[in-house]
């Protein structure tokens, strides 16, 4: 039987879902222009700090985009494309505030509002259209309210599933509504490039290209067994997305999802050459991850490190811990061992540390083994340090190694780390 995106309502009536995806246009740059009205008629890019080697374009306005500037461009390249470009630094506090204000507006129309980044949300209006009007009518109301109340614009996709709703919000920009239905998606969606489909990245595009897949329609009409043989369950997922068979629900507002991993990464202000420099950076990351694990009341059993060298080549290595832990010292020792085993003097540009295989609370039997007792003592010590830092600030207590290089150790990865919402595939 053919799959359909419908729900069973009261008295057995079939209800086609009404899903909206709202995407605030050029969000970071638009918010900055609100605070700097003199920049509204100039090309603007929100960029990282070049001195910390974060000098890339994070967002750009329409005028900058018209010059060919893309997100991720280094600042020097962006200035070459647009000599009159105005670069401003990011202010995440502002972006979080406007993101929260937008979600308050969405919450007036439905209790199913799911974030997909600071500037994007899905809304499920199934069963609410008799209150507010059709999906298209609500989309136009939301666009008007966002423009009038927040001072920025938004594009809205309206469809019967989340994947097509997101495609709709990308279809026309800025400040536009696009409706994709079971009757018109062959005409609107299938001619689009395959890369426009959710979770089709560069590597997947190259793989699909070998089968002559250029558009979403090509992907939809490729035999399912070919995709499953080539890409496994991900191939089946993409085939269903392309054919409009996404049944993923929109989460309730404030709904918490299971945490599967906790991690952090950083780009160093200079290439890390000496082991002492790597130790400082890994300790910062380990303490950040440890603090968040402790806040969630979790322990983890697998440590993964991400190593990116100065030539931009990278590798990811992981290993299992003998006993689940949330101790920063344990995480650091295992991560540093992975670094020593896989790097042989090559300068590092970026480092990342992630813990997976999470468990709620401590697991395992009580033991009198020396290493287990030492882990428990370390946990008590780190908990006390965390309490002091929470009261007097992160730098009130530091490891001695941090004093060896203040330039590397000055960041606060626990408080400065921005945690983005869970991905579309949270389930």
């Amino acid at each position: 039987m053919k799959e359909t995106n419908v729900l069973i309502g009261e008295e057995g009536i079939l209800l086609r879902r009404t899903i909206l995806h709202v995407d605030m246009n050029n969000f970071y740059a638009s918010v900055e222009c609100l605070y700097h009205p003199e920049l509204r008629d100039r090309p603007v890019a929100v960029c990282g700090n070049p001195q910390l080697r974060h000098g890339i374009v994070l967002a750009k306005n329409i005028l900058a985009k018209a010059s060919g500037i893309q997100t991720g461009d280094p600042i020097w390249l962006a200035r070459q494309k647009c000599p009159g470009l105005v670069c401003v630094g990011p202010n995440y506090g502002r972006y979080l505030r406007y993101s929260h204000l937008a979600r308050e507006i969405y919450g007036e129309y439905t209790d199913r509002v799911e974030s997909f980044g600071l500037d994007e949300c899905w809304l499920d209006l199934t069963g609410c259209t008799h209150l507010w009007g059709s999906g298209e009518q609500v989309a136009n109301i939301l666009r008007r309210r966002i423009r009038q109340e927040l001072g920025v614009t938004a594009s809205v996709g309206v469809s019967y599933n989340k994947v097509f709703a997101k495609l709709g919000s990308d279809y026309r920009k800025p400040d536009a509504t696009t409706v994709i239905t079971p009757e018109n998606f062959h005409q609107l969606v299938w001619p689009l490039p395959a890369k426009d489909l959710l979770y089709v990245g560069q590597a997947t595009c190259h793989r699909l290209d070998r089968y002559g897949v250029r558009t979403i329609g090509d992907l939809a009409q490729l035999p399912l067994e070919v995709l499953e043989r080539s890409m496994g369950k991900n191939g089946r997922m993409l085939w269903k997305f392309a054919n409009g068979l996404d049944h993923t629900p929109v989460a309730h507002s404030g709904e918490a999802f299971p945490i599967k991993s906790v991690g952090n990464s950083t780009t160093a202000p200079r290439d890390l050459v000496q082991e002492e420099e790597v130790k400082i950076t890994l300790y910062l990351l380990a303490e950040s991850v440890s603090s968040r694990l402790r806040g969630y009341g979790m322990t983890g059993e697998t440590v993964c490190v991400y190593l990116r060298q100065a030539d931009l080549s990278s590798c990811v290595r992981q290993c299992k811990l003998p006993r689940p832990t949330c101790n920063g010292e344990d995480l650091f020792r295992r991560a540093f061992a992975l670094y020593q085993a896989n790097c042989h003097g090559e300068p590092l540009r970026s480092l990342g540390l992630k813990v997976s295989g999470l468990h709620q609370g401590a697991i395992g039997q009580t033991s009198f083994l020396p290493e287990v007792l030492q882990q428990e003592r370390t946990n008590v010590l780190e908990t006390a340090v965390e309490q002091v830092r929470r009261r007097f600030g992160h730098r009130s207590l530091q490891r001695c190694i941090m004093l060896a290089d203040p330039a590397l150790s000055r960041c606060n990865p626990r408080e400065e780390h921005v945690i983005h919402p869970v991905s579309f595939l949270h389930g």
Side-chain angles (χ1 to χ4, degrees), residues 92-394:
Y92 293 108
R94 290 174 182 169
Y95 312 148
L96 287 167
R97 175 174 176 265
Y98 275 81
S99 178
H100 178 71
L101 291 173
R103 287 198 299 272
E104 286 185 345
I105 294 175
Y106 308 152
E108 296 180 24
Y109 298 89
T110 177
D111 64 341
R112 286 184 174 269
V113 179
E114 180 181 338
S115 295
F116 192 59
L118 291 180
D119 55 341
E120 301 180 41
C121 278
W122 278 291
L123 288 70
D124 190 342
L125 294 176
T126 306
C128 302
T129 52
H130 66 287
L131 297 174
W132 313 114
S134 68
E136 184 176 9
Q137 290 173 323
V138 175
N140 292 330
I141 292 170
L142 292 175
R143 288 195 299 110
R144 188 190 73 243
R145 289 192 61 182
I146 290 171
R147 184 172 59 250
Q148 294 177 350
E149 297 177 27
L150 303 185
V152 299
T153 62
S155 294
V156 185
V158 182
S159 192
Y160 59 99
N161 64 59
K162 292 170 68 175
V163 171
F164 281 1
K166 176 163 174 55
L167 277 172
S169 67
D170 292 333
Y171 194 81
R172 284 194 299 150
K173 292 177 179 290
D175 200 12
T177 297
T178 301
V179 181
I180 299 176
T181 67
E183 293 75 30
N184 72 5
F185 82 85
H186 296 91
Q187 291 75 38
L188 288 182
V189 173
W190 278 14
L192 296 175
K195 64 180 178 61
D196 288 355
L197 192 65
L198 193 64
Y199 285 107
V200 177
Q202 186 175 7
T204 303
C205 269
H206 290 322
R207 183 174 294 183
L208 293 174
D209 191 62
R210 296 201 296 265
Y211 294 97
V213 173
R214 307 287 188 274
T215 67
I216 295 177
D218 293 338
L219 175 60
Q221 296 174 78
L222 195 68
L224 177 57
E225 57 271 18
V226 173
L227 281 169
E228 287 186 318
R229 186 168 59 248
S230 173
M231 304 170 62
K233 63 180 182 181
N234 287 334
R236 181 179 183 85
M237 176 189 72
L238 295 178
W239 183 87
K240 293 180 72 173
F241 285 179
N243 281 285
L245 302 177
D246 165 44
H247 304 286
T248 313
V250 177
H252 285 91
S253 302
E255 181 177 342
F257 301 107
I259 299 171
K260 296 185 178 180
S261 65
V262 175
N264 202 347
S265 62
T266 186
T267 298
R270 64 174 187 271
D271 287 345
L272 307 178
V273 180
Q274 305 297 326
E275 281 197 350
E276 195 83 353
E277 298 171 331
V278 176
K279 283 183 178 180
I280 291 173
T281 308
L282 278 178
Y283 262 125
L284 287 169
L285 296 175
E287 289 185 348
S288 165
V289 173
S290 170
S291 177
R292 287 163 54 201
L293 283 171
R294 196 172 289 110
Y296 297 139
M298 288 182 162
T299 57
E301 61 182 21
T302 301
V303 174
C304 174
V305 293
Y306 165 78
L307 308 168
R308 191 179 195 189
Q309 298 175 2
D311 62 1
L312 302 186
S313 62
S314 61
C315 72
V316 179
R317 298 291 183 269
Q318 69 178 31
C319 66
K320 200 164 184 177
L321 294 162
R323 179 182 173 91
T325 183
C326 62
N327 291 341
E329 184 67 32
D330 293 340
L331 302 181
F332 163 79
R333 291 185 184 280
R334 189 61 58 168
F336 187 66
L338 288 171
Y339 155 76
Q340 288 182 310
N342 293 280
C343 278
H344 307 285
E346 301 92 342
L348 292 180
R349 177 183 176 88
S350 303
L351 278 172
L353 191 154
K354 182 179 72 173
V355 176
S356 57
L358 303 184
H359 305 274
Q360 195 68 44
I363 65 170
Q365 296 179 336
T366 302
S367 173
F368 293 104
L369 292 174
E371 59 269 23
V372 177
L373 294 175
Q374 178 60 42
Q375 184 185 81
E376 293 172 353
R377 286 193 292 267
T378 302
N379 192 44
V380 171
L381 174 62
E382 291 190 2
T383 300
V385 170
E386 183 81 12
Q387 292 171 346
V388 172
R389 287 177 171 174
R390 193 177 300 119
R391 183 174 179 183
F392 298 106
H394 180 78

